[in-house]
């Protein structure tokens, strides 16, 4: 289990096999899956969970409008949205600077960040920059002792698999989504792929998306 700072009871992830576990400030969560599987909806649910827990919540967007994102999150009064789609950065490092300046404004209070999506940064700049960029986020969190949990959304199947493996190795928690078409009717599946030092099950779960959020049930 990742050790927690005494001043923070830890961040919670409301996903199967990780309920009740608390993750330390600085935890990086990578959410992977093919385009269209539901990762953006999951990121918004991640934000809702943070708002309900009274955590300062940031949604950083690279390929969706900020207004649309706000409409999809009920508790949007305290949601801080960063729109990199309209204000396209000139360099990938500009994204890091802008995000971390926003985090520092909360002066050590708990912060939940959803970044949707990292794969778009690879399109804006160069896919080879993605793993170094993620490593830079970790270094910035550690250097500033940021009281944060960050979920990074990443589309698989676009860039070489070696990039996906590098991102997985740099993340504390890796969540995976996929579409199962083996039984005729396509079903969306979710699992915890890996965690750093914390117990988890790699079992697949069916999930559905509705206005109420994401619901899980065990896959047979």
């Amino acid at each position: 289990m990742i050790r927690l700072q005494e001043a923070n009871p830890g961040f919670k992830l409301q996903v199967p096999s990780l309920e009740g576990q608390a993750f330390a400030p600085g935890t990086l969560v990578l959410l992977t899956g093919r385009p269209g599987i539901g990762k953006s909806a999951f990121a918004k649910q991640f934000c809702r969970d943070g708002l309900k827990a009274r955590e300062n919540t940031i949604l950083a967007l690279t390929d969706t409008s900020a207004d649309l994102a706000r409409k999809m999150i009920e508790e949007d009064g305290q949601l801080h949205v960063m729109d990199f789609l309209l204000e396209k950065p000139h360099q990938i490092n500009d994204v890091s600077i802008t995000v971390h300046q926003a985090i520092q404004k909360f002066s050590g209070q708990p912060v939940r960040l959803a970044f949707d999506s990292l794969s778009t940064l690879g399109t804006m700049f160069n896919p080879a920059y993605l793993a170094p960029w993620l490593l830079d986020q970790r270094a910035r969190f550690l250097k500033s002792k940021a009281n944060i949990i960050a979920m990074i959304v990443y589309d698989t199947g676009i860039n070489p698999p070696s990039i996906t493996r590098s991102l997985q190795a740099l993340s504390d928690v890796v969540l995976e989504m996929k579409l199962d078409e083996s039984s005729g009717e396509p079903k969306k599946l979710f699992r915890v792929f890996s965690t750093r030092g914390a117990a988890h099950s790699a079992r697949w779960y069916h999930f559905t998306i509705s206005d109420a959020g994401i619901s899980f049930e065990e896959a047979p």
Side-chain angles (χ1 to χ4, degrees):
M1 173 66 71
I2 302 170
R3 294 195 175 187
L4 301 177
Q5 297 178 358
E6 292 183 1
N8 189 324
F11 295 93
K12 301 292 182 66
L13 289 173
Q14 305 299 330
V15 300
S17 87
L18 293 181
E19 302 99 330
Q21 297 203 45
F23 291 89
T27 294
L28 273 174
V29 181
L30 182 70
L31 176 62
T32 68
R34 295 274 179 166
I37 191 65
K39 298 184 302 300
S40 291
F42 196 102
K44 292 176 178 63
Q45 182 63 53
F46 177 78
C47 289
R48 290 191 193 99
D49 292 341
L51 292 167
K52 290 176 181 177
R54 299 181 180 276
E55 296 165 357
N56 300 291
T57 304
I58 301 172
L59 177 58
L61 300 167
T62 61
D63 51 12
T64 306
S65 73
D67 289 341
L68 179 60
R70 287 191 179 95
K71 290 177 182 178
M72 295 179 67
I73 300 177
E74 295 177 2
E75 302 87 351
D76 65 351
Q78 301 176 46
L79 179 69
H80 305 270
V81 180
M82 307 179 70
D83 192 341
F84 291 108
L85 177 63
L86 293 180
E87 300 178 10
K88 182 178 287 189
H90 296 291
Q91 300 180 37
I92 195 168
N93 192 48
D94 294 340
V95 179
S96 296
I97 293 171
T98 302
V99 169
H100 286 271
Q101 284 177 340
I103 294 168
Q104 290 171 1
K105 291 179 181 179
F106 296 112
S107 303
Q109 299 174 42
V111 176
R112 181 173 292 232
L113 166 69
F115 193 95
D116 187 11
S117 70
L118 182 59
S119 35
T120 305
L121 285 190
T123 303
M124 288 179 177
F125 302 104
N126 185 328
Y129 294 165
L130 298 182
W133 184 87
L134 193 64
L135 184 61
D136 180 58
Q137 307 321 298
R138 176 184 292 283
R140 288 174 183 267
F141 292 158
L142 292 174
K143 185 175 182 181
S144 64
K145 297 181 180 180
N147 191 1
I148 186 173
I149 184 170
M151 174 177 285
I152 311 296
V153 176
Y154 179 71
D155 289 330
T156 56
I158 297 176
N159 299 312
S162 58
I163 294 179
T164 301
R165 291 193 293 269
S166 295
L167 296 173
Q168 290 172 336
L170 292 170
S171 303
D172 300 300
V173 180
V174 179
L175 309 177
E176 185 178 4
M177 292 175 148
K178 73 173 185 178
L179 189 65
D180 178 18
E181 299 179 282
S182 60
S183 60
E185 181 182 353
K187 294 183 178 180
K188 294 181 177 182
L189 297 180
F190 167 90
R191 72 169 175 173
V192 178
F193 177 78
S194 66
T195 57
R196 194 188 303 276
H200 76 280
S201 167
R203 183 184 180 94
W204 287 100
Y205 291 81
H206 291 146
F207 73 92
T208 56
I209 303 172
S210 67
D211 291 340
I214 295 181
S215 300
F216 298 96
E217 63 178 29
E218 288 191 17

